[in-house]
Structures are given as structure tokens and as C-alpha cells.
Amino acid sequence: MEGTDEVSTTSGSIYIKSPAQTTSPLLRPAALGAITQEDYQQQYWPILDNAVRQLLANSGSYVPISYEQMYSCVYKCVCQQHSEKMYEDLFQLIKEHLSSIHCELQDLHQSNPDYFLERFHQAMQKYNYSLKGIVPIFNYMNRFYVTHKLNTDLHLELTNLFTVYIVQSQARQVIRLLEEAQSRPFAVKPATAAGIIKGLYSLNPEFATLNPKLFAKYIPNVLPPTRIEDLPMYAEEAQLLQQDLQEEQGFSRIPQDRKRSSEQALLSSLPIMQENT
């Protein structure tokens, strides 16, 4: 794409190509004059809106975006006192996107619980990945409005939106389904389960209190150190687990050497078949 920086969101990274020539009217010196509210609404925000939507919709595929044009739009709007409006527009767009994901997850929870977990994990990964492209675009707004005036950080605020709109309403259901899936081998991919638990913990370690034993399988030091007086309890749990594997999962407790002896005895008791010559 000649004349622009291109942001590629493939392979977990963002690649930017340096521009060979600037052609956008928004980047020309003549565009550095006063930007009215109407200019912002009709010329500047639509370009930023489209870029953010592309990044939110991407699934690891190539997304061509002129980084220089996006950054220039943000820079000019901030300089012309449109920071607050741009911040509000960005958050409104993100909220609408997260609301649609919330509705989709609610429907899946009723119709297909196992895929619900997979989709929840995908939504978490996809959103985190999108922020790698969105936050740099609004870097100037973050520096001179979000950080300076609001005393916070854009990445943190956008991450909190995901927690409020998606995680807080779904966390208990997700953890319950993951717990139930423990008794059904391969019902949920191990990578999916690990990704969800680690993602929830990174958003808020307090989620671990909803099911400490489940979180302890993926997060170190979630449970308190083992005490000597707790050893009999752990031994009983291990015995119950072995019993469950034997009775419900079909595992045998016969040692391998005894098992081979039993198989050999069975084979030796069978009549020998001789081929007719």
C-alpha cells in the first residue's frame, strides 16, 4: 500500500512499513488549521472508527491500516481540544462491540456449553490482540488526556471494559463448566482450559477464590502451603481419585507384570491351530 504505514496483525505482532509518499489530505500542512466539531465528526472520527472496527474484527489475518494517518488524526484532534469527545467515542464503540460478544456467549451457554468455553477463550485472546493495534493508534490521546487528566492508562481502561462487560457476568459460569469438564476427558482442550484460567487470573486474581483447587492446577502458589496435619486429607483425596478412575473411567489397578502373566496364561490355554499341509 504505497504512501502509508501498514499495520499487520499477523503472528502475534504488529508490523509497520515506512511510507514512501504521503498522499492523505489529513496529513498535508493545509489541514493543520482549526478543526471544528463538525470536521471531527465528519472527517476525522470516521477514519478512526473504521480502523478500530477492523482491529476488533480481525482473527489473526492481515489488516492494512495507515498507522501514520491514524496517528496524525489523533494528534490533530488532541491539539484541537477534541480529546474528551474522541475518548467517549472510542469507549462507546468498544462497549457496543463487547455487548454483542456478551449476547453471543449467553446464547452459546444455553445451546452448546463446551463451545461456549472455546468461544470465551477466543474472545479473550482476540480482544487482547486487538488492543495491541488500538492502543498505539491513540497513544497521543493516552499521553496527554487519559494519563495527564484522568490519571489512568488507556490499555488498563480498555482491559477493564472487557472485565466489566464479559468476564464479570460470565466468570462463575465459565469456572463451573471448567470444573464439570474435569470429569469428562477431552471435553475441553487443555490449552483452552489453561488459557481461560490464566486469563481470568491476570484480569483479577480474586477470581481464584471462586475455585482455588481448579486455579491451582494452572497457577502456582494459589493454594496455601501444605501442612503436615493436611496430609491424611490429601491421601484420602488421592485414594478417592484412584477409585473413581477404576470404577468410572475404566482404568485397571492390575500391575503390568501380573497383567502380562494373565494374558500369557490365557493364550497358552487356547487350542493350537495347525495348518493343513
Side-chain angles (χ1 to χ4, degrees), residues 6-272:
E6 292 184 354
V7 177
S8 170
T9 55
T10 56
S11 304
S13 302
I14 297 175
Y15 301 98
I16 303 172
K17 296 181 180 179
S18 300
Q21 181 181 2
T22 296
T23 58
S24 171
L26 295 176
L27 302 179
R28 296 172 185 168
L32 294 178
I35 299 175
T36 66
Q37 186 66 30
E38 184 179 359
D39 292 336
Y40 167 80
Q41 293 287 2
Q42 296 182 1
Q43 298 181 37
Y44 290 86
W45 175 248
I47 295 175
L48 296 169
D49 178 280
N50 181 61
V52 173
R53 290 182 188 275
Q54 288 189 62
L55 290 168
L56 289 172
N58 89 82
S59 56
S61 59
Y62 179 79
V63 181
I65 294 176
S66 171
Y67 185 85
E68 184 181 12
Q69 185 183 37
M70 299 304 107
Y71 190 87
S72 179
C73 286
V74 172
Y75 171 80
K76 293 171 186 176
C77 291
V78 171
C79 292
Q80 295 291 323
Q81 307 301 314
H82 295 291
S83 299
E84 183 177 358
K85 178 60 177 172
M86 184 164 51
Y87 179 84
E88 293 174 355
D89 288 340
L90 174 61
F91 270 61
Q92 182 61 34
L93 174 57
I94 300 292
K95 289 176 182 179
E96 291 174 359
H97 172 75
L98 294 177
S99 294
S100 66
I101 294 177
H102 171 78
C103 293
E104 178 190 355
L105 290 174
Q106 286 289 79
D107 293 339
L108 279 176
H109 178 255
Q110 301 296 329
S111 60
N112 192 337
D114 288 343
Y115 184 65
F116 163 79
L117 292 174
E118 186 69 30
R119 184 67 184 91
F120 182 89
H121 184 226
Q122 291 174 0
M124 184 181 292
Q125 285 185 313
K126 193 173 178 180
Y127 186 76
N128 288 335
Y129 189 62
S130 298
L131 293 188
K132 295 180 181 180
I134 295 172
V135 173
I137 287 176
F138 293 90
N139 180 57
Y140 203 77
M141 182 188 73
N142 184 41
R143 289 169 56 195
F144 292 94
Y145 177 72
V146 181
T147 302
H148 182 68
K149 291 190 176 181
L150 303 183
N151 298 316
T152 183
D153 176 76
L154 182 61
H155 190 281
L156 175 62
E157 290 299 301
L158 293 179
T159 301
N160 288 340
L161 279 184
F162 187 85
T163 302
V164 171
Y165 276 77
I166 304 297
V167 178
Q168 287 184 352
S169 61
Q170 307 284 350
R172 291 183 182 275
Q173 302 175 42
V174 167
I175 294 173
R176 177 179 59 81
L177 290 173
L178 284 175
E179 177 65 25
E180 293 175 357
Q182 300 293 309
S183 61
R184 294 181 293 121
F186 309 111
V188 178
K189 297 177 183 178
T192 298
I196 290 175
I197 293 298
K198 292 177 180 179
L200 292 176
Y201 191 81
S202 66
L203 290 173
N204 187 352
E206 292 298 317
F207 285 126
T209 61
L210 298 176
N211 193 325
K213 291 184 179 180
L214 177 62
F215 275 76
K217 294 180 179 180
Y218 306 97
I219 307 295
N221 302 321
V222 169
L223 296 176
T226 303
R227 300 177 302 174
I228 296 179
E229 54 267 32
D230 293 333
L231 292 178
M233 179 185 67
Y234 292 130
E236 183 179 356
E237 289 181 355
Q239 186 176 6
L240 291 174
L241 176 60
Q242 292 175 355
Q243 183 178 352
D244 176 68
L245 291 174
Q246 180 186 7
E247 296 178 354
E248 297 185 13
Q249 307 298 334
F251 287 87
S252 173
R253 296 181 61 185
I254 301 176
Q256 289 297 320
D257 54 346
R258 291 181 57 191
K259 185 176 180 182
R260 292 195 200 95
S261 300
S262 300
E263 291 174 350
Q264 291 174 355
L266 178 61
L267 290 174
S268 62
S269 66
L270 295 176
I272 300 176

